[in-house]
Amino acid sequence: MGAAPAVDSTFYTTINMYRTIEQILGLAPSNQFDLAAEPMFSAFTATPDFAPYAALGNRIRSTR
């Protein structure tokens, strides 16, 4: 049985996401800002969870 779901309340910026994408794709950092950014390690697990899920529908009308 896997770990219980958790909430990651870490504050991430666009640079953190950019750094994470660079690491996933095996790219070198583009500049000093994404070089110094902390990747979003806590947003991922070591093994994927392929369990199905139920998508929630919109609760707010998207048209006027």
Side-chain angles (χ1 to χ4, degrees), residues 19 31-38:
R19 173 71 168 152
N31 56 46
Q32 66 184 10
F33 299 110
D34 53 318
L35 175 65
E38 183 69 26

Side-chain angles (χ1 to χ4, degrees), residues 9-58:
S9 60
T10 306
F11 177 77
Y12 294 117
T13 65
T14 305
I15 300 300
N16 296 107
M17 176 59 78
Y18 194 74
R19 173 71 168 152
T20 303
I21 292 170
E22 286 176 336
Q23 285 202 322
I24 290 171
L25 297 177
L27 302 173
S30 300
N31 56 46
Q32 66 184 10
F33 299 110
D34 53 318
L35 175 65
E38 183 69 26
M40 301 169 63
F41 290 129
S42 59
F44 298 93
T45 60
T47 55
D49 179 4
F50 295 110
Y53 63 92
L56 299 175
N58 291 338

